[in-house]
Amino acid sequence: MTSKVISTTSPGPTPEGRVIKDTVFSASLEGNLLGDPVTRNVTVYLPPGYDNGDRFPVVYLLHGWLGDETLFMNRDLLYWNFFPAGSDFPDKGIAGMLDGLISQGKLREMVVVMPDGGNKYGGSFYTNSAVAGNYEDYIAEDLVHHIDSHYRTLPDRDSRAIVGHSMGGYGAFKLAMKRPDVFGMVAAHAGVVSLEHFKPFVPAVIGENSDATKGPNPEFAQDFSAEKPMTSMFLSMSAAFSPNAEKPPTFVDLPFEYPAGRLLDEVWDRWTAHDMAVMPRAYSDNLSSLKAIYMDVGDKDELGAALQVEKLHQALTGAGVAHQYEVYDGGHTSKAFERLSISLSFISNHLTGAVILHGYSLPYGHRIGYYDACVGKLTQREMNYETDFPALVETEKGEILVCQSLPRSDLCIEVQEVEHGKDIEIKQLSCKIAKKELLSHDVMRLYLELPDSQRLQFFAGQYLDVLLKDGRRRSFSIANAPHDDKYLELHIRHVEGSEYTHFIFHELKEKSIWQIVAPLGSCYLREDSERPIILMGGGTGFAPLKGMVEHAFFIGETRPIRLFWGVRALRDLYLSDLPRQWEKDHPNFKFTPVLSDPLPEDQWTGESGWVHDAVVRACPDMSGYDVYISGPPVMIRVSEQAFLAQGLPERRLFSDALEFNRSPMQQVASALDGKGRE
């Protein structure tokens, strides 16, 4: 590690960004009954600094009903001229607006992706449908994978936001709520979010089809145009919320009788299941996991969105979900771009930190609430934190938590930078569970297989995050060396009372697909050092140390390497033959197992007690070593204190303590108030 002062100050005036016209194939839309294409157009805005080699956060911007991927670039579309108040469409469309915000320092550089979410009836409402196709999956899976694979993005939910207007506001909120593993922030403008408020529009639909003599279906199937806007709107919504594959030619169940207009409760109940004012009760945990929620609406909205968004605001407040809500003077589209500039600036302040965007790799350990590695010294200007935690304040020394802070101005931060971090690309990848292997009574080895077209570069000792659909993550160390990368090897211990590890041991099937983010972590083998190496692991903390040892042997490392592996009893040394074989094959390697609570039948005569005590006994003067620690968080904290007391320089101590289930801020708060692990 080297100490560096990092300035996040933006450069001067920037050139214009550029707009790319792209296409994406969506398997999620295959077989749709409306005959809509499965290869969809997408407009991509690349910021002015894109060609400088950096990676950028991504905002997915969803259009409204009757729009397409060109909506935010084309002022002549009906969408912007449908209501008498018109719109505030800027010169050069949203690309010009983004250029201006970036040059003014109001917006960090970002990639903005504008997909086509339209269909035969005018709009998909970005919902999975047996008739229209799975538009949720198209956006959250097919499109995100395409963008991360073809553009220099930061492939992580904390660097990914979703924003939308009108139908797009509905879709953005729905996708963020249901897929917090993909999107970390959301902004919804004039969202048509409460479907209950469309009941008064039923007479308008009937009025548009007053000449029908054979019921609505034949006529509706032919007249999904702007001349019958309410007809088209109800067809769109019915295809999304009440599809019926057995009911051609429209393949929908309308929520009312035609022409009588009587509401059909059984169909409205199906619509209610998709009502954004109702769904937060079932998805409150997902919503609370989001980094930022923003929504606004005009008080003169012609589609009644003001009442709808107010209802959503009340639902979020009742569910205890933090969010920012604003009502402004305007209609449905009259201030659309002014409001987008506000929400994008809001989102910009919550995207991945500028230090990371500038390509610097910092050590961190906040996954367990142990945050010392995240501390930097603020030397100029101001910052604040994502969430108000009283204990998270600047110290007298000007120290801050880089991992959780948000800039209020340009910053200069003095940190410990992880060298070579720029050489490794963090990716979100799909992988297959190729094999499960039980290594002991409570340790399972998983082999993850990446697609043939993908390869993961990583340092020996790093870890990966498994993304869950509820937005949480599980962190697991990578147990194989980088050169042996046919599979990614994980060692997972069954934890009593853990639903997730129970699932892995008893329900997870081979060939299942996982989404992972990797590589992560700053505890990896430093090859440029000449100091002897101490590796200390507890339990499945052996996994990353195994990768380090195998890598050291592969590169011909001649430094002395001592491995101390602490477990409770003999049966917990789940791969003990492997380090014993290393000891036979490599004269510079020594293995010391340590049992803290050996069983009588173990007949143990080796090292006993706490593993860090065994290290101190063997190496009382630690001033000349590099030390790598992996295992339970408490063990790491205690060991670090003991080793520093034995003269180990802090900069030569490396650890990544992994703990799942909680957000970084919950973990930090828990550590500060003394609660510790769950």
Side-chain angles (χ1 to χ4, degrees), residues 403-424:
C403 63
Q404 297 299 323
S405 60
L406 298 172
R408 290 200 298 256
S409 67
D410 294 334
L411 306 176
C412 277
I413 307 169
E414 184 177 332
V415 295
Q416 294 291 319
E417 184 193 2
V418 178
E419 296 173 357
H420 311 303
K422 284 188 176 183
D423 300 335
I424 294 295

Side-chain angles (χ1 to χ4, degrees), residues 240-527:
F241 310 138
S242 53
N244 187 341
E246 306 300 322
K247 200 170 183 179
T250 56
F251 299 107
V252 303
D253 288 327
L254 293 168
F256 60 89
E257 285 184 346
Y258 182 85
R262 184 178 70 86
L263 301 179
L264 301 175
D265 290 340
E266 63 274 17
V267 180
W268 275 109
D269 287 344
R270 292 164 66 187
W271 281 42
T272 300
H274 297 271
D275 194 313
M276 289 298 103
V278 175
M279 293 179 74
R281 284 176 288 185
Y283 290 91
S284 60
D285 288 345
N286 284 11
L287 288 165
S288 295
S289 76
L290 297 174
K291 293 182 66 178
I293 299 174
Y294 176 94
M295 55 189 190
D296 66 17
V297 68
D299 58 359
K300 301 176 180 63
D301 190 281
E302 295 88 344
L303 289 178
L307 292 174
Q308 299 180 46
V309 179
E310 171 65 25
K311 194 171 181 180
L312 175 57
H313 162 60
Q314 293 175 0
L316 293 176
T317 301
V321 176
H323 61 285
Q324 183 161 329
Y325 168 54
E326 297 181 5
V327 178
Y328 58 89
D329 178 18
H332 196 66
T333 58
S334 62
K335 295 183 177 179
F337 286 87
E338 175 187 321
R339 303 310 301 183
L340 273 172
S341 69
I342 293 172
S343 72
L344 289 173
S345 297
F346 174 81
I347 290 293
S348 176
N349 286 334
H350 289 81
L351 288 165
T352 298
V355 170
I356 296 176
L357 291 181
H358 279 64
Y360 293 98
S361 181
L362 309 183
Y364 50 92
H366 56 68
R367 295 186 175 278
I368 60 161
Y370 182 59
Y371 57 90
D372 287 4
C374 307
V375 173
K377 185 176 181 181
L378 185 67
T379 61
Q380 293 181 26
R381 301 300 179 89
E382 298 178 290
M383 44 66 62
N384 58 13
Y385 290 105
E386 296 178 14
T387 309
D388 292 329
F389 281 83
L392 298 185
V393 296
E394 295 175 37
T395 69
E396 293 180 359
K397 299 178 182 179
E399 293 172 332
I400 62 169
L401 289 181
V402 177
C403 63
Q404 297 299 323
S405 60
L406 298 172
R408 290 200 298 256
S409 67
D410 294 334
L411 306 176
C412 277
I413 307 169
E414 184 177 332
V415 295
Q416 294 291 319
E417 184 193 2
V418 178
E419 296 173 357
H420 311 303
K422 284 188 176 183
D423 300 335
I424 294 295
E425 176 183 0
I426 299 173
K427 301 179 179 181
Q428 180 172 325
L429 300 166
S430 298
C431 62
K432 179 173 66 177
I433 308 300
K435 184 180 179 181
K436 293 175 61 177
E437 179 185 1
L438 191 64
L439 296 178
S440 72
H441 66 289
D442 67 348
V443 176
M444 181 75 71
R445 174 156 53 188
L446 296 185
Y447 291 97
L448 310 186
E449 184 178 9
L450 297 175
D452 292 339
S453 60
Q454 296 283 353
R455 182 172 182 268
L456 180 68
Q457 290 183 300
F458 61 95
F459 293 131
Q462 289 191 288
Y463 66 92
L464 58 80
D465 275 0
V466 178
L467 305 183
L468 308 185
K469 288 193 174 182
D470 63 2
R472 292 181 295 169
R473 297 180 176 219
R474 295 293 193 268
S475 300
F476 297 112
S477 296
I478 302 172
N480 54 291
H483 68 275
D484 183 21
D485 63 351
K486 180 179 181 182
Y487 301 107
L488 297 176
E489 177 183 341
L490 310 181
H491 299 173
I492 301 174
R493 185 172 70 89
H494 186 277
V495 178
E496 191 67 30
S498 167
E499 294 182 1
Y500 189 69
T501 59
H502 177 85
F503 167 77
I504 288 176
F505 272 67
H506 302 292
E507 301 176 31
L508 179 66
K509 305 296 184 185
E510 293 181 354
K511 298 184 179 180
S512 299
I513 302 298
W514 273 2
Q515 293 290 319
I516 66 170
V517 172
L520 301 169
S522 54
C523 180
Y524 55 81
L525 187 66
R526 267 53 177 187
E527 300 175 30

Side-chain angles (χ1 to χ4, degrees), residues 63-331:
H63 65 75
W65 176 69
L66 288 184
D68 58 22
E69 78 285 353
T70 69
L71 180 69
F72 297 99
M73 293 294 297
N74 186 353
R75 71 165 66 246
D76 295 328
L77 290 179
L78 175 66
Y79 189 89
W80 302 119
N81 304 286
F82 192 84
F83 298 110
S87 74
D88 58 342
F89 199 97
D91 292 339
K92 300 182 181 179
I94 196 168
M97 186 189 84
L98 293 170
D99 290 341
L101 292 172
I102 291 170
S103 67
Q104 296 165 27
K106 296 180 179 179
L107 193 72
R108 67 179 51 179
E109 291 194 293
M110 59 180 65
V111 173
V112 178
V113 178
M114 294 162 274
D116 175 17
N119 64 16
K120 175 181 179 181
Y121 294 144
S124 63
F125 281 83
Y126 304 97
T127 293
N128 284 349
S129 165
V131 166
N134 293 332
Y135 279 83
E136 289 176 38
D137 297 343
Y138 154 53
I139 299 294
E141 296 177 11
D142 302 340
L143 179 62
V144 168
H145 175 74
H146 175 86
I147 295 299
D148 286 343
S149 298
H150 292 80
Y151 298 89
R152 287 199 307 279
T153 66
L154 288 164
D156 181 87
R157 77 151 219 158
D158 291 341
S159 303
R160 195 182 291 128
I162 190 163
V163 179
H165 187 271
S166 191
M167 178 188 79
Y170 171 91
F173 201 89
K174 188 174 197 176
L175 279 157
M177 179 172 61
K178 296 184 71 174
R179 296 302 303 270
D181 58 317
V182 178
F183 303 104
M185 290 137 281
V186 61
H189 298 280
V192 286
V193 292
S194 180
L195 306 181
E196 181 77 13
H197 287 270
F198 280 86
K199 289 181 178 180
F201 290 99
V202 169
V205 180
I206 295 173
E208 288 177 352
N209 297 274
S210 58
D211 58 343
T213 57
K214 299 180 181 179
N217 286 349
E219 289 75 24
F220 282 17
Q222 298 170 13
D223 293 322
F224 47 88
S225 67
E227 296 178 2
K228 295 184 176 182
M230 287 297 104
T231 299
S232 179
M233 176 73 79
F234 267 72
L235 278 172
S236 298
M237 300 173 82
S238 297
F241 310 138
S242 53
N244 187 341
E246 306 300 322
K247 200 170 183 179
T250 56
F251 299 107
V252 303
D253 288 327
L254 293 168
F256 60 89
E257 285 184 346
Y258 182 85
R262 184 178 70 86
L263 301 179
L264 301 175
D265 290 340
E266 63 274 17
V267 180
W268 275 109
D269 287 344
R270 292 164 66 187
W271 281 42
T272 300
H274 297 271
D275 194 313
M276 289 298 103
V278 175
M279 293 179 74
R281 284 176 288 185
Y283 290 91
S284 60
D285 288 345
N286 284 11
L287 288 165
S288 295
S289 76
L290 297 174
K291 293 182 66 178
I293 299 174
Y294 176 94
M295 55 189 190
D296 66 17
V297 68
D299 58 359
K300 301 176 180 63
D301 190 281
E302 295 88 344
L303 289 178
L307 292 174
Q308 299 180 46
V309 179
E310 171 65 25
K311 194 171 181 180
L312 175 57
H313 162 60
Q314 293 175 0
L316 293 176
T317 301
V321 176
H323 61 285
Q324 183 161 329
Y325 168 54
E326 297 181 5
V327 178
Y328 58 89
D329 178 18

